[in-house]
Amino acid sequence: MLSSSVFILLLFFLCPGQPAPQCAVPESQKDLVTYLLNLMVQAETDNAQNSLNPNPSLLLGLRLAQQHNLSVEQSALTKLQQDVVSKIQGGLPFSSGNVALYCMAMQASCHDPSDIPASVLPGGKLNLVNVLEEKLVEEIFNIEKAGTPVTNYYQVSLDVLALCLMGKPMTALTTQVLIDAAKTNKFNLSGTFSVDTGSVAVLALTCLKQFKTIQAFPTLQSRIESTIRKLITKIEQQKQESGIIGNLYSTGLAAQALVANQVNFNCNKTIKTILAQVSAGAFNNPMTASQIVPFLGGYTYLNVSSLKCSADQNNLPLPTPTHTSPPSSSNISVQFTVANPFLNSSNSIDVSVLNGSTLLTVMEKAAQLDPQHFSFTIQPSAYGPYVTSIQGVAGNSTDHTYWQFLSGTTSLSQGVGDYKPKNGEHLVALFSTY
Ligand code: B12
């Protein structure tokens, strides 16, 4: 008679699409994962109802879960397929990382991204994997010409990961690009190691390592392995006592990188802290939910190519109505400073807003009171509003500048649409480089 742990291990090896068993959400807290999945389902439904672009990150997160709402996932897949065809047909902007996410979301839905129905295109089909290969060539060309990718190394890593998951043989050059970037600290953002970027790079390299064509080149294979080790050391250096790795929002990706490489870490502590934060509402932004859900379900992005869609059950319970607290009637006062070291300028203002307001509301109030110094523009994105300019000064990707947000001297880990300042807090918008 097999002992139960041996049986679970056997199951894991026999069913590669199944999650790793070692890290699990306690049965009594599974409703928190259900809550996150329902947030994502709701966001996909809202996108469809408001004719907004579908979001591949949400579908990818929904697929890498143990509970499913199959009709929402099916309609999100159809929307993604239609959207991708109109993007390609219309020559609309499509960053390499987004192409990679579309490919991964389709593959995780057991639909081949190299064979998308497209009656409006020549041949009646779209091969999105070819598009991704071209996008990655552009990224590499830019790295060689200008020293940086067209987008960023997070997206280059996503590109390599998605192509590898599609079984596309990588040229040695492509693999070397990630190895060189790791060696020369190119995964830094604003001067510090980006745990998110390093983690996706580890997942991409871990996928490459298992490739037969790569294994045929032992020197390349060993360079990949030493780069993975180097990046894992850096990720481990960002582990906090609480189990958080980097910050709250990089932890899901970092944990995937560690799990995929069988690195021992106190993952139950990490799960406990994350679940407490889910309860506190810290993952209410569906994009943040989509990046933590795979880890909580025991999956990594490497599972995308081996999911058994025919075994899926339509088993996601409907959301239980949550008690929403009545809007606060008390006010808080905060100080807001806009500082631009390049122009040697700094302006501050005291603003009073309702308790529970977001930083965006603080900024709107400041702009109303003193438009000359505090007016700003935003661009909607999947993560929420991204602040593009303040006082007419815009960040840009050529100079690698952006408006960074801080509380005192600590960089915020949420955007202005999510962050809720406390009474007496000093918030700063600082024109920075990355
Ligand atoms: C690269 C990156 C940046 C770059 C983006 C520019 C560039 N050309 O590369 C820079 C350094 C400018 C940046 C800035 C910020 N970022 Co950022 N960023 C990332 C990172 C590592 C990758 C994004 C990406 O390329 N995704 C893949 C592509 C395909 O998806 P995409 O939707 O097209 O990506 C675009 C948006 O994500 C946007 N973007 C990037 N960061 C943010 C943050 C917010 C709040 C919004 C609305 C949009 C946005 O820029 C991307 C490239 O165009 C993610 C990591 C992650 N886990 O997602 C963090 C991440 C999204 N960023 C984050 C944060 C907090 C910020 C800042 C608010 C930090 C700060 N204290 O100021 C600012 C935004 C401030 C503003 N002006 O509104 C958090 C968001 C968490 C959350 N709870 O919402 C993440 C998850 C990192 C983390 N672990 O904390 N970021």
Side-chain angles (χ1 to χ4, degrees):
M1 181 86 163
L2 286 173
S3 82
S4 61
S5 54
V6 172
F7 181 69
I8 290 172
L9 267 178
L10 258 182
L11 256 186
F12 174 54
F13 288 115
L14 293 175
C15 318
Q18 290 306 303
Q22 68 268 33
C23 254
V25 171
E27 204 53 51
S28 60
Q29 286 185 293
K30 290 232 160 107
D31 57 331
L32 289 170
V33 181
T34 306
Y35 168 76
L36 292 179
L37 289 168
N38 272 311
L39 274 181
M40 292 153 62
V41 161
Q42 189 55 51
E44 281 289 35
T45 314
D46 291 350
N47 279 346
Q49 276 167 3
N50 300 319
S51 311
L52 294 173
N53 282 345
N55 181 337
S57 302
L58 295 183
L59 180 57
L60 180 59
L62 288 172
R63 293 298 309 146
L64 292 171
Q66 297 183 12
Q67 294 170 310
H68 298 279
N69 179 325
L70 294 178
S71 65
V72 167
E73 289 175 16
Q74 178 54 53
S75 91
L77 171 68
T78 310
K79 293 255 161 40
L80 278 187
Q81 289 175 326
Q82 290 164 349
D83 178 59
V84 85
V85 172
S86 61
K87 274 199 163 78
I88 299 294
Q89 191 197 18
L92 301 178
F94 204 4
S95 72
S96 74
N98 262 309
V99 178
L101 288 168
Y102 273 71
C103 284
M104 286 165 67
M106 288 177 194
Q107 199 184 7
S109 310
C110 302
H111 276 251
D112 184 356
S114 63
D115 191 15
I116 302 169
S119 54
V120 290
L121 293 179
K125 298 264 179 234
L126 169 64
N127 186 335
L128 195 59
V129 181
N130 282 352
V131 176
L132 181 54
E133 282 180 315
E134 284 159 22
K135 293 273 176 188
L136 182 54
V137 168
E138 282 169 23
E139 296 278 18
I140 294 174
F141 186 70
N142 217 72
I143 291 170
E144 288 179 344
K145 197 183 67 180
T148 55
V150 181
T151 59
N152 55 51
Y153 277 102
Y154 182 91
Q155 299 198 29
V156 173
S157 304
L158 277 179
D159 303 345
V160 175
L161 174 61
L163 286 171
C164 180
L165 290 169
M166 282 304 299
K168 284 282 157 186
M170 302 284 150
T171 60
L173 177 66
T174 314
T175 314
Q176 194 60 41
V177 160
L178 282 188
I179 296 174
D180 287 346
K183 207 185 264 166
T184 52
N185 297 326
K186 293 278 169 51
F187 298 154
N188 286 7
L189 276 179
S190 299
T192 43
F193 176 64
S194 161
V195 173
D196 309 72
T197 307
S199 303
V200 179
V202 165
L203 289 167
L205 291 167
T206 308
C207 177
L208 288 177
K209 187 178 84 169
Q210 292 154 5
F211 234 78
K212 291 233 163 40
T213 39
I214 298 261
Q215 283 169 354
F217 297 94
T219 358
L220 186 56
Q221 171 85 0
S222 87
R223 268 185 274 146
I224 292 179
E225 279 167 6
S226 72
T227 307
I228 294 176
R229 278 196 300 276
K230 182 188 156 102
L231 289 172
I232 284 183
T233 307
K234 286 194 163 197
I235 293 169
E236 285 183 308
Q237 283 165 356
Q238 302 297 321
K239 266 195 303 196
Q240 297 171 27
E241 197 51 38
S242 61
I244 294 303
I245 314 168
N247 70 19
L248 199 52
Y249 303 106
S250 52
T251 301
L253 296 174
Q256 282 194 36
L258 299 181
V259 169
N261 284 280
Q262 294 88 41
V263 176
N264 266 332
F265 72 108
N266 195 345
C267 66
N268 288 320
K269 180 83 180 275
T270 301
I271 287 184
K272 194 171 169 207
T273 303
I274 292 287
L275 291 176
Q277 291 294 332
V278 172
S279 283
F283 285 88
N284 281 357
N285 180 326
M287 273 300 286
T288 62
S290 75
Q291 293 192 356
I292 196 68
V293 149
F295 165 60
L296 294 177
Y299 290 93
T300 78
Y301 288 159
L302 299 184
N303 295 119
V304 156
S305 52
S306 54
L307 294 175
K308 300 263 172 296
C309 299
S310 54
D312 286 343
Q313 288 172 36
N314 200 17
N315 57 356
L316 179 66
L318 289 173
T320 40
T322 44
H323 167 76
T324 46
S325 38
S328 160
S329 55
S330 65
N331 270 21
I332 56 162
S333 294
V334 297
Q335 193 186 17
F336 179 51
T337 298
V338 171
N340 187 341
F342 297 92
L343 301 176
N344 232 340
S345 75
S346 177
N347 298 283
S348 296
I349 187 168
D350 288 324
V351 174
S352 170
V353 290
L354 277 178
N355 192 6
S357 302
T358 63
L359 175 51
L360 184 62
T361 308
V362 171
M363 292 175 69
E364 283 164 353
K365 195 80 184 274
Q368 245 170 37
L369 295 169
D370 182 352
Q372 195 199 338
H373 293 117
F374 296 100
S375 59
F376 65 96
T377 57
I378 55 167
Q379 191 183 305
S381 84
Y383 261 107
Y386 180 84
V387 177
T388 40
S389 77
I390 307 183
Q391 286 175 350
V393 178
N396 82 68
S397 55
T398 321
D399 301 338
H400 287 204
T401 50
Y402 76 115
W403 283 100
Q404 181 185 18
F405 289 87
L406 305 100
S407 168
T409 54
T410 308
S411 189
L412 298 185
S413 60
Q414 288 181 306
V416 297
D418 287 335
Y419 188 76
K420 293 183 177 153
K422 294 188 186 60
N423 190 32
E425 201 169 331
H426 180 198
L427 295 144
V428 180
L430 179 68
F431 198 59
S432 307
T433 52
Y434 63 90

